Amino acid sequence: MKMKKILAMAASTILCGAMFAGCGETSSSSNKTDTTTAPKATEADTAKSDDNKSDSSDSLIKVGIINNDPNESGYRTANVNDLKATFTKENGFDASFAYSLKNEEQINAAQKFIQDEVDYLLLSAADTAGWDSVLKDAKDAGVRVILFDRTIDADESLYDASIVSDMDKEGEQAVDWLKSQDLKAYDIIHLQGVMGSAAQKGRSKALDETAKELGWNIVTQQTAEWNAEKAQQIVQAAIDANKEFNVIYAENDDMAKGAVAALDRANISHGVDKDVVVIGFDCNKWALKELKAGNWNYDGQCNPFQSSYILDIIDKLEKGETLSDKKIVMDEKGFDAKTITDADVEQYGI
């Protein structure tokens, strides 16, 4: 490895440490919708940004980053912006990006990046299954694979490390909180994320198991694919059908927002000491403000700022060091409307 590349990595590690320390203060920009149309992964965005064009590209670490659609949610927008701000020419990288909510399109993008001879493949998988073959190709080609945000169902030998949220734990924390409310009845509208994703599986699993164990009534269980408008339509359909419910369990903040829009339209009260309990995930700042105002009841944290963890791993691999931990699970918490503070909103809102 060239000394220039090593020095670039050292500099980038220091810079990212400073960036991550302030990520709680970047929420105003993180929540803005990315107006750039996200290209499909089958048409991987191999065109580099102007920052990444350089005659001395051989000295840069070549990275292919595969992620979900930036417009999927506020969480994803923050996640994408974090990665874009980090993997730049100034930080020693030649980075290409591909986005899709479809697994097959992501796999096609991965194959393209392998053909392009990237040094590292960074992956947030749309689905947990189907990755074995392409990751074997990456390994055979000498491409190092790092998972972020989501786990996959593949042998650990096929990737170097994973930086993930514990989606099962996120679901368990939310369901334990709901159980602790000791409601007279549990009639639940369950709004699921994109089916097969790690987030959907983890957040659904806890509710499914507890509902079966305790006899909770799942009035409606349907995917809204992380989308507010689809969530609003599902809840509106339940209202129009005169279905009785007193809990909205939405697997992200945007779907909770859509659900609340349907409740407001029907003049159904929601939040603290109201008719319907509202649960969301991701801790967008606007969502935590709804929580603080008592309009929602609970929001589960999911940390989108993973680039500093990835940088640390790449730095160690470039130096030939052995990773002490192959899997890094980020510590996350849940917030109750009755106990959340303004400081929590500022510190944890994305």
Side-chain angles (χ1 to χ4, degrees):
M1 179 57 60
K2 298 178 181 179
M3 180 59 67
K4 184 175 181 180
K5 187 180 287 189
I6 294 174
L7 292 174
M9 279 306 308
S12 66
T13 302
I14 294 171
L15 181 141
C16 188
M19 178 192 70
F20 187 75
C23 66
E25 300 174 2
T26 62
S27 56
S28 60
S29 61
S30 297
N31 283 325
K32 293 180 181 177
T33 301
D34 188 345
T35 56
T36 303
T37 301
K40 290 185 177 181
T42 50
E43 301 169 353
D45 182 12
T46 54
K48 316 299 185 297
S49 66
D50 291 339
D51 287 342
N52 287 334
K53 293 178 181 178
S54 173
D55 293 335
S56 59
S57 60
D58 287 345
S59 66
L60 302 176
I61 297 174
K62 196 171 182 180
V63 179
I65 303 174
I66 299 174
N67 207 339
N68 295 264
D69 188 336
N71 299 310
E72 169 200 83
S73 63
Y75 167 89
R76 189 60 55 188
T77 301
N79 182 249
V80 168
N81 289 342
D82 180 47
L83 293 165
K84 282 184 174 181
T86 298
F87 291 97
T88 64
K89 185 181 77 171
E90 289 77 11
N91 288 349
F93 296 97
D94 176 13
S96 300
F97 298 81
Y99 305 105
S100 180
L101 289 173
K102 296 182 178 179
N103 219 44
E104 62 271 20
E105 292 180 354
Q106 287 191 337
I107 289 172
N108 289 337
Q111 292 170 334
K112 180 67 168 58
F113 285 146
I114 294 168
Q115 292 170 4
D116 290 344
E117 299 182 339
V118 296
D119 299 308
Y120 291 89
L121 182 64
L122 311 184
L123 171 64
S124 177
D127 197 304
T128 58
W131 285 98
D132 294 74
S133 180
V134 70
L135 294 191
K136 287 177 182 176
D137 291 343
K139 188 171 185 178
D140 291 342
V143 177
R144 315 297 290 263
V145 177
I146 300 173
L147 309 181
F148 67 94
D149 177 43
R150 296 177 174 181
T151 58
I152 58 174
D153 297 329
D155 192 282
E156 288 189 356
S157 65
L158 296 178
Y159 54 89
D160 289 271
S162 63
I163 302 98
V164 295
S165 296
D166 189 337
M167 303 299 184
D168 285 355
K169 184 178 179 182
E170 289 178 6
E172 290 164 4
Q173 287 176 329
V175 171
D176 285 345
W177 175 88
L178 182 56
K179 191 190 307 182
S180 74
Q181 301 309 292
D182 196 24
L183 304 179
K184 291 181 179 179
Y186 284 84
D187 298 308
I188 304 167
I189 290 181
H190 181 190
L191 300 171
Q192 297 172 291
V194 172
M195 301 303 290
S197 66
Q200 178 274 314
K201 285 184 174 181
R203 295 169 188 173
S204 289
K205 179 183 177 183
L207 182 60
D208 287 341
E209 291 179 349
T210 302
K212 184 177 180 180
E213 176 189 351
L214 300 180
W216 291 357
N217 178 30
I218 305 297
V219 175
T220 296
Q221 184 179 61
Q222 190 174 338
T223 178
E225 298 181 331
W226 311 123
N227 184 271
E229 290 183 3
K230 291 182 180 179
Q232 182 174 351
Q233 292 167 4
I234 292 168
V235 175
Q236 188 63 54
I239 294 170
D240 292 343
N242 294 316
K243 293 183 178 181
E244 293 187 5
F245 60 90
N246 64 339
V247 177
I248 298 288
Y249 183 94
E251 291 182 357
N252 82 339
D253 288 340
D254 289 280
M255 294 190 297
K257 181 179 181 180
V260 165
L263 297 179
D264 287 340
R265 184 175 179 180
N267 293 317
I268 298 173
S269 67
H270 51 84
V272 178
D273 299 326
K274 298 299 194 308
D275 292 333
V276 178
V277 172
V278 177
I279 294 172
F281 290 87
D282 289 350
C283 289
N284 288 278
K285 179 170 280 191
W286 57 263
L288 292 185
K289 287 180 178 179
E290 290 294 316
L291 201 69
K292 182 69 171 57
N295 298 324
W296 293 17
N297 300 79
Y298 177 93
D299 206 23
Q301 186 188 22
C302 194
N303 185 357
F305 301 108
Q306 295 138 17
S307 65
S308 66
Y309 296 88
I310 298 171
L311 273 177
D312 183 56
I313 288 170
I314 291 178
D315 188 35
K316 289 177 180 177
L317 292 175
E318 288 294 295
K319 293 175 180 177
E321 297 179 10
T322 300
L323 300 178
S324 57
D325 295 302
K326 191 180 186 78
K327 183 177 181 180
I328 299 172
V329 180
M330 294 179 291
D331 186 34
E332 296 165 334
K333 58 182 68 180
F335 295 94
D336 185 325
K338 293 182 178 179
T339 57
I340 192 171
T341 66
D342 289 330
D344 290 330
V345 175
E346 291 304 313
Q347 181 176 354
Y348 297 104
I350 60 174

